[in-house]
Amino acid sequence: MTILPDTSVASRVQAIVSEHADLDGPLLPILHRVQSEYGYVPESAIRPLADALNISRADVHGVVSFYHDFHTAPRGRHVVKICRAEACQARGGQALEDHIRKVLRLNWNETSSDGAITLEPVYCLGLCACGPAALIDERPVAKLTGEKVERLVREMV
């Protein structure tokens, strides 16, 4: 994991807060901007953000941990999100999940040691009739099979 110097993060967070000063309820847009810049919300951003918005660190942490799109650690260069909703499960999703985790040698929310791939669960992509489904680098992929997954993984690395 990359450790960022507290002072550089704090000064950048302060600048981002200033850019969003005119918004009502700016926490979410600020967090999105921080994550956009760093690829995740660094721990060292929590205190300066809380101080700047005059809210508690617990409030900031609560928002970051509540929303699944915020991340507190760097993610892989490629992100594979597998649908775990009922419709995909009914179409063989569990067997596919097991196969993907075996091929990638990852559990949910883990990143490969080389930083290439992060594996994440999602709960419904709206591709219910075409399951099992996934988002690979934000691109929807439907009617997944073990062979299709292996081909897609080879293309990523």
mmCIF file of all heavy atoms in Angstrom, residues 103-129:
data_model
loop_
_atom_site.group_PDB
_atom_site.id
_atom_site.type_symbol
_atom_site.label_atom_id
_atom_site.label_comp_id
_atom_site.label_asym_id
_atom_site.label_seq_id
_atom_site.Cartn_x
_atom_site.Cartn_y
_atom_site.Cartn_z
ATOM 1 N N VAL A 103 -9.058 -18.777 -10.259
ATOM 2 C CA VAL A 103 -8.206 -18.311 -11.367
ATOM 3 C C VAL A 103 -7.377 -17.095 -10.937
ATOM 4 O O VAL A 103 -6.179 -17.020 -11.199
ATOM 5 C CB VAL A 103 -9.061 -17.976 -12.615
ATOM 6 C CG1 VAL A 103 -8.258 -17.195 -13.640
ATOM 7 C CG2 VAL A 103 -9.631 -19.244 -13.225
ATOM 8 N N LEU A 104 -8.023 -16.156 -10.250
ATOM 9 C CA LEU A 104 -7.327 -14.930 -9.838
ATOM 10 C C LEU A 104 -6.505 -15.117 -8.564
ATOM 11 O O LEU A 104 -5.655 -14.286 -8.250
ATOM 12 C CB LEU A 104 -8.327 -13.794 -9.627
ATOM 13 C CG LEU A 104 -9.086 -13.307 -10.855
ATOM 14 C CD1 LEU A 104 -10.086 -12.226 -10.462
ATOM 15 C CD2 LEU A 104 -8.133 -12.811 -11.928
ATOM 16 N N ARG A 105 -6.789 -16.185 -7.829
ATOM 17 C CA ARG A 105 -6.163 -16.422 -6.520
ATOM 18 C C ARG A 105 -6.419 -15.243 -5.576
ATOM 19 O O ARG A 105 -5.529 -14.773 -4.872
ATOM 20 C CB ARG A 105 -4.664 -16.675 -6.660
ATOM 21 C CG ARG A 105 -4.352 -17.910 -7.450
ATOM 22 C CD ARG A 105 -2.867 -18.186 -7.457
ATOM 23 N NE ARG A 105 -2.597 -19.295 -8.343
ATOM 24 C CZ ARG A 105 -1.774 -19.238 -9.374
ATOM 25 N NH1 ARG A 105 -1.111 -18.136 -9.633
ATOM 26 N NH2 ARG A 105 -1.596 -20.295 -10.130
ATOM 27 N N LEU A 106 -7.681 -14.789 -5.591
ATOM 28 C CA LEU A 106 -8.100 -13.661 -4.758
ATOM 29 C C LEU A 106 -9.423 -13.978 -4.081
ATOM 30 O O LEU A 106 -10.245 -14.704 -4.628
ATOM 31 C CB LEU A 106 -8.301 -12.396 -5.609
ATOM 32 C CG LEU A 106 -7.095 -11.793 -6.302
ATOM 33 C CD1 LEU A 106 -7.533 -10.661 -7.229
ATOM 34 C CD2 LEU A 106 -6.088 -11.294 -5.289
ATOM 35 N N ASN A 107 -9.616 -13.398 -2.916
ATOM 36 C CA ASN A 107 -10.919 -13.389 -2.274
ATOM 37 C C ASN A 107 -11.546 -12.031 -2.531
ATOM 38 O O ASN A 107 -10.916 -11.127 -3.088
ATOM 39 C CB ASN A 107 -10.783 -13.666 -0.774
ATOM 40 C CG ASN A 107 -10.508 -15.126 -0.516
ATOM 41 O OD1 ASN A 107 -11.153 -16.005 -1.092
ATOM 42 N ND2 ASN A 107 -9.545 -15.406 0.340
ATOM 43 N N TRP A 108 -12.800 -11.874 -2.103
ATOM 44 C CA TRP A 108 -13.487 -10.601 -2.315
ATOM 45 C C TRP A 108 -12.707 -9.442 -1.697
ATOM 46 O O TRP A 108 -12.151 -9.564 -0.623
ATOM 47 C CB TRP A 108 -14.886 -10.644 -1.715
ATOM 48 C CG TRP A 108 -15.765 -11.673 -2.344
ATOM 49 C CD1 TRP A 108 -16.368 -12.733 -1.727
ATOM 50 C CD2 TRP A 108 -16.147 -11.758 -3.721
ATOM 51 N NE1 TRP A 108 -17.089 -13.455 -2.637
ATOM 52 C CE2 TRP A 108 -16.976 -12.885 -3.874
ATOM 53 C CE3 TRP A 108 -15.871 -10.986 -4.848
ATOM 54 C CZ2 TRP A 108 -17.535 -13.262 -5.089
ATOM 55 C CZ3 TRP A 108 -16.423 -11.368 -6.065
ATOM 56 C CH2 TRP A 108 -17.246 -12.487 -6.177
ATOM 57 N N ASN A 109 -12.680 -8.343 -2.423
ATOM 58 C CA ASN A 109 -12.058 -7.087 -1.995
ATOM 59 C C ASN A 109 -10.552 -7.211 -1.803
ATOM 60 O O ASN A 109 -9.964 -6.430 -1.053
ATOM 61 C CB ASN A 109 -12.736 -6.539 -0.741
ATOM 62 C CG ASN A 109 -14.197 -6.255 -0.988
ATOM 63 O OD1 ASN A 109 -14.543 -5.526 -1.919
ATOM 64 N ND2 ASN A 109 -15.058 -6.850 -0.192
ATOM 65 N N GLU A 110 -9.937 -8.127 -2.496
ATOM 66 C CA GLU A 110 -8.475 -8.247 -2.466
ATOM 67 C C GLU A 110 -7.905 -7.781 -3.793
ATOM 68 O O GLU A 110 -8.569 -7.838 -4.830
ATOM 69 C CB GLU A 110 -8.046 -9.690 -2.209
ATOM 70 C CG GLU A 110 -8.263 -10.164 -0.812
ATOM 71 C CD GLU A 110 -7.730 -11.563 -0.561
ATOM 72 O OE1 GLU A 110 -7.380 -12.291 -1.519
ATOM 73 O OE2 GLU A 110 -7.656 -11.930 0.620
ATOM 74 N N THR A 111 -6.663 -7.354 -3.735
ATOM 75 C CA THR A 111 -5.920 -6.934 -4.921
ATOM 76 C C THR A 111 -4.719 -7.842 -5.071
ATOM 77 O O THR A 111 -4.066 -8.182 -4.081
ATOM 78 C CB THR A 111 -5.469 -5.462 -4.783
ATOM 79 O OG1 THR A 111 -6.644 -4.647 -4.640
ATOM 80 C CG2 THR A 111 -4.676 -4.998 -5.994
ATOM 81 N N SER A 112 -4.444 -8.234 -6.299
ATOM 82 C CA SER A 112 -3.305 -9.118 -6.546
ATOM 83 C C SER A 112 -2.013 -8.447 -6.095
ATOM 84 O O SER A 112 -1.907 -7.218 -6.076
ATOM 85 C CB SER A 112 -3.228 -9.494 -8.029
ATOM 86 O OG SER A 112 -3.117 -8.339 -8.837
ATOM 87 N N SER A 113 -1.035 -9.252 -5.730
ATOM 88 C CA SER A 113 0.214 -8.722 -5.180
ATOM 89 C C SER A 113 0.948 -7.820 -6.171
ATOM 90 O O SER A 113 1.693 -6.938 -5.765
ATOM 91 C CB SER A 113 1.119 -9.859 -4.714
ATOM 92 O OG SER A 113 1.419 -10.710 -5.799
ATOM 93 N N ASP A 114 0.724 -8.020 -7.464
ATOM 94 C CA ASP A 114 1.365 -7.170 -8.466
ATOM 95 C C ASP A 114 0.554 -5.904 -8.761
ATOM 96 O O ASP A 114 0.936 -5.086 -9.602
ATOM 97 C CB ASP A 114 1.633 -7.950 -9.745
ATOM 98 C CG ASP A 114 0.365 -8.451 -10.423
ATOM 99 O OD1 ASP A 114 -0.752 -8.225 -9.893
ATOM 100 O OD2 ASP A 114 0.492 -9.088 -11.486
ATOM 101 N N GLY A 115 -0.580 -5.744 -8.077
ATOM 102 C CA GLY A 115 -1.405 -4.556 -8.266
ATOM 103 C C GLY A 115 -2.198 -4.557 -9.561
ATOM 104 O O GLY A 115 -2.749 -3.535 -9.951
ATOM 105 N N ALA A 116 -2.291 -5.710 -10.220
ATOM 106 C CA ALA A 116 -2.959 -5.761 -11.517
ATOM 107 C C ALA A 116 -4.482 -5.803 -11.400
ATOM 108 O O ALA A 116 -5.178 -5.116 -12.146
ATOM 109 C CB ALA A 116 -2.469 -6.959 -12.319
ATOM 110 N N ILE A 117 -5.023 -6.613 -10.461
ATOM 111 C CA ILE A 117 -6.459 -6.863 -10.444
ATOM 112 C C ILE A 117 -7.010 -6.791 -9.024
ATOM 113 O O ILE A 117 -6.417 -7.331 -8.102
ATOM 114 C CB ILE A 117 -6.786 -8.251 -11.037
ATOM 115 C CG1 ILE A 117 -6.313 -8.339 -12.491
ATOM 116 C CG2 ILE A 117 -8.279 -8.560 -10.941
ATOM 117 C CD1 ILE A 117 -6.432 -9.714 -13.110
ATOM 118 N N THR A 118 -8.163 -6.139 -8.890
ATOM 119 C CA THR A 118 -8.936 -6.144 -7.648
ATOM 120 C C THR A 118 -10.250 -6.856 -7.949
ATOM 121 O O THR A 118 -10.874 -6.597 -8.981
ATOM 122 C CB THR A 118 -9.220 -4.716 -7.151
ATOM 123 O OG1 THR A 118 -7.979 -4.080 -6.830
ATOM 124 C CG2 THR A 118 -10.106 -4.712 -5.921
ATOM 125 N N LEU A 119 -10.660 -7.743 -7.031
ATOM 126 C CA LEU A 119 -11.906 -8.493 -7.186
ATOM 127 C C LEU A 119 -12.920 -7.985 -6.165
ATOM 128 O O LEU A 119 -12.629 -7.962 -4.967
ATOM 129 C CB LEU A 119 -11.661 -9.992 -6.973
ATOM 130 C CG LEU A 119 -12.879 -10.897 -7.102
ATOM 131 C CD1 LEU A 119 -13.448 -10.844 -8.522
ATOM 132 C CD2 LEU A 119 -12.505 -12.326 -6.728
ATOM 133 N N GLU A 120 -14.091 -7.570 -6.659
ATOM 134 C CA GLU A 120 -15.116 -7.016 -5.775
ATOM 135 C C GLU A 120 -16.480 -7.620 -6.070
ATOM 136 O O GLU A 120 -16.808 -7.867 -7.234
ATOM 137 C CB GLU A 120 -15.229 -5.498 -5.956
ATOM 138 C CG GLU A 120 -13.980 -4.745 -5.599
ATOM 139 C CD GLU A 120 -14.112 -3.245 -5.806
ATOM 140 O OE1 GLU A 120 -15.097 -2.791 -6.423
ATOM 141 O OE2 GLU A 120 -13.217 -2.525 -5.348
ATOM 142 N N PRO A 121 -17.292 -7.825 -5.020
ATOM 143 C CA PRO A 121 -18.668 -8.249 -5.245
ATOM 144 C C PRO A 121 -19.565 -7.036 -5.484
ATOM 145 O O PRO A 121 -19.308 -5.961 -4.956
ATOM 146 C CB PRO A 121 -19.039 -8.921 -3.921
ATOM 147 C CG PRO A 121 -18.248 -8.164 -2.908
ATOM 148 C CD PRO A 121 -16.949 -7.779 -3.598
ATOM 149 N N VAL A 122 -20.588 -7.203 -6.291
ATOM 150 C CA VAL A 122 -21.639 -6.190 -6.439
ATOM 151 C C VAL A 122 -22.973 -6.918 -6.368
ATOM 152 O O VAL A 122 -23.040 -8.129 -6.575
ATOM 153 C CB VAL A 122 -21.536 -5.375 -7.755
ATOM 154 C CG1 VAL A 122 -20.304 -4.508 -7.779
ATOM 155 C CG2 VAL A 122 -21.567 -6.267 -8.966
ATOM 156 N N TYR A 123 -24.002 -6.183 -6.067
ATOM 157 C CA TYR A 123 -25.312 -6.796 -5.876
ATOM 158 C C TYR A 123 -26.318 -6.183 -6.823
ATOM 159 O O TYR A 123 -27.052 -5.291 -6.457
ATOM 160 C CB TYR A 123 -25.724 -6.686 -4.404
ATOM 161 C CG TYR A 123 -24.746 -7.457 -3.550
ATOM 162 C CD1 TYR A 123 -23.614 -6.845 -3.027
ATOM 163 C CD2 TYR A 123 -24.915 -8.813 -3.343
ATOM 164 C CE1 TYR A 123 -22.678 -7.569 -2.295
ATOM 165 C CE2 TYR A 123 -23.987 -9.548 -2.618
ATOM 166 C CZ TYR A 123 -22.882 -8.922 -2.095
ATOM 167 O OH TYR A 123 -21.946 -9.638 -1.393
ATOM 168 N N CYS A 124 -26.283 -6.644 -8.030
ATOM 169 C CA CYS A 124 -27.174 -6.372 -9.153
ATOM 170 C C CYS A 124 -26.595 -5.315 -10.090
ATOM 171 O O CYS A 124 -26.356 -4.172 -9.713
ATOM 172 C CB CYS A 124 -28.588 -5.980 -8.748
ATOM 173 S SG CYS A 124 -29.685 -6.134 -10.192
ATOM 174 N N LEU A 125 -26.396 -5.760 -11.293
ATOM 175 C CA LEU A 125 -25.915 -4.886 -12.359
ATOM 176 C C LEU A 125 -27.027 -4.575 -13.358
ATOM 177 O O LEU A 125 -26.800 -3.877 -14.333
ATOM 178 C CB LEU A 125 -24.739 -5.548 -13.092
ATOM 179 C CG LEU A 125 -23.510 -5.797 -12.236
ATOM 180 C CD1 LEU A 125 -22.502 -6.668 -12.978
ATOM 181 C CD2 LEU A 125 -22.882 -4.481 -11.838
ATOM 182 N N GLY A 126 -28.219 -5.136 -13.127
ATOM 183 C CA GLY A 126 -29.321 -4.917 -14.044
ATOM 184 C C GLY A 126 -29.220 -5.766 -15.304
ATOM 185 O O GLY A 126 -29.880 -5.479 -16.298
ATOM 186 N N LEU A 127 -28.396 -6.792 -15.271
ATOM 187 C CA LEU A 127 -28.249 -7.694 -16.412
ATOM 188 C C LEU A 127 -28.848 -9.061 -16.073
ATOM 189 O O LEU A 127 -28.343 -10.102 -16.476
ATOM 190 C CB LEU A 127 -26.764 -7.850 -16.772
ATOM 191 C CG LEU A 127 -26.056 -6.575 -17.202
ATOM 192 C CD1 LEU A 127 -24.552 -6.781 -17.283
ATOM 193 C CD2 LEU A 127 -26.591 -6.106 -18.542
ATOM 194 N N CYS A 128 -29.937 -9.028 -15.341
ATOM 195 C CA CYS A 128 -30.508 -10.236 -14.742
ATOM 196 C C CYS A 128 -30.829 -11.320 -15.763
ATOM 197 O O CYS A 128 -30.648 -12.501 -15.490
ATOM 198 C CB CYS A 128 -31.749 -9.874 -13.949
ATOM 199 S SG CYS A 128 -31.426 -8.625 -12.672
ATOM 200 N N ALA A 129 -31.309 -10.961 -16.926
ATOM 201 C CA ALA A 129 -31.671 -11.958 -17.935
ATOM 202 C C ALA A 129 -30.452 -12.549 -18.624
ATOM 203 O O ALA A 129 -30.573 -13.545 -19.336
ATOM 204 C CB ALA A 129 -32.600 -11.334 -18.967
#
